[in-house]
Amino acid sequence: MSNQHSAPAPDFSAVPTLVGTRVTLVPLSLEHVPDLQRAVAEGDLWQTWYTRIPGPAEMTDAVQHRLDLNAAGEWVPWAIISHDSGEAVGMTSYLNIRADNRKLEIGSTWLAKSQQRTGINSDAKLLQLTHAFETLGCVAVEFRTHWHNQQSRAAIARLGAKQDGVLRNNDIWRDGTLRDTVVFSIIESEWPTVRLGLTEKVAGRAR
């Protein structure tokens, strides 16, 4: 008989601290609420009709909701901490976690307006994707966004994700309109090339 034991299955519900070049992703907590309230107030981000970003008055409830979902094993929520300021400048999460199929979605992400197109998003996604593919052993990682959110669609494409399709009338939106959801993904065979591209972006050598 062999004395070797199979490696334990990775914990898809764990919220590790992930340290990058420009940001650190730390487990989200209620202590981040004041920073996040200041961050979301830049440009009134929460008023964009095709997003679901909590406003300053909703931030405590929004953070607690993410913590509750983590306790239920459904989400993995992080605060995005800027190395320049030491403050939380946004949030991001794993969601739609399917550990049995080694798949998950990266979503519920937003950044303060001043932090957009600075390399911070690329660094955060590099951290999340590295953990998903290299620690959790994912075979695919999804991204989803509103059809009309052209900025988000372009940002996801710049990561190296490919568009899988459009789910028509997928959600009833908060104002009663219907959302078409655009689905993107990165699969494990594409990860080495995507990782190189993101590393170049974070280093400032690529747009």
Side-chain angles (χ1 to χ4, degrees), residues 181-198:
T181 300
V182 188
V183 182
F184 295 80
S185 69
I186 297 168
I187 60 175
E188 61 179 339
S189 61
E190 297 167 341
W191 167 235
T193 303
V194 170
R195 180 178 56 206
L196 286 173
L198 283 173

Side-chain angles (χ1 to χ4, degrees), residues 14-54:
V15 193
T17 295
L18 305 175
V19 181
T21 302
R22 299 170 184 261
V23 298
T24 296
L25 302 185
V26 303
L28 183 66
S29 79
L30 291 171
E31 294 179 358
H32 296 121
V33 168
D35 283 357
L36 294 170
Q37 288 173 322
R38 287 190 292 273
V40 82
E42 292 183 15
D44 295 340
L45 288 180
W46 75 96
Q47 296 189 22
T48 307
W49 70 271
Y50 49 72
T51 64
R52 284 178 172 156
I53 299 175

Side-chain angles (χ1 to χ4, degrees), residues 2-151:
S2 172
N3 291 325
Q4 294 183 342
H5 297 281
S6 59
D11 184 359
F12 274 66
S13 65
V15 193
T17 295
L18 305 175
V19 181
T21 302
R22 299 170 184 261
V23 298
T24 296
L25 302 185
V26 303
L28 183 66
S29 79
L30 291 171
E31 294 179 358
H32 296 121
V33 168
D35 283 357
L36 294 170
Q37 288 173 322
R38 287 190 292 273
V40 82
E42 292 183 15
D44 295 340
L45 288 180
W46 75 96
Q47 296 189 22
T48 307
W49 70 271
Y50 49 72
T51 64
R52 284 178 172 156
I53 299 175
E58 305 164 326
M59 193 61 67
T60 299
D61 288 344
V63 169
Q64 185 60 58
H65 180 59
R66 285 160 175 75
L67 297 177
D68 291 343
L69 288 169
N70 176 248
E74 297 178 15
W75 279 36
V76 172
W78 285 279
I80 303 170
I81 308 297
S82 166
H83 289 178
D84 288 339
S85 68
E87 295 185 352
V89 295
M91 293 192 290
T92 189
S93 296
Y94 288 163
L95 53 150
N96 291 328
I97 296 169
R98 300 174 60 199
D100 55 337
N101 286 287
R102 292 160 50 205
K103 296 180 67 175
L104 54 81
E105 177 188 341
I106 294 175
S108 194
T109 302
W110 62 268
L111 279 172
K113 191 172 182 64
S114 63
Q115 306 301 314
Q116 297 173 14
R117 299 304 298 271
T118 64
I120 277 183
N121 183 58
S122 295
D123 198 19
K125 293 301 187 294
L126 178 59
L127 292 170
Q128 289 176 288
L129 288 165
T130 299
H131 183 66
F133 284 113
E134 299 182 16
T135 300
L136 300 180
C138 285
V139 298
V141 174
E142 282 190 354
F143 303 84
R144 299 186 176 207
T145 192
H146 197 298
W147 171 266
H148 288 281
N149 194 342
Q150 299 294 335
Q151 181 178 348

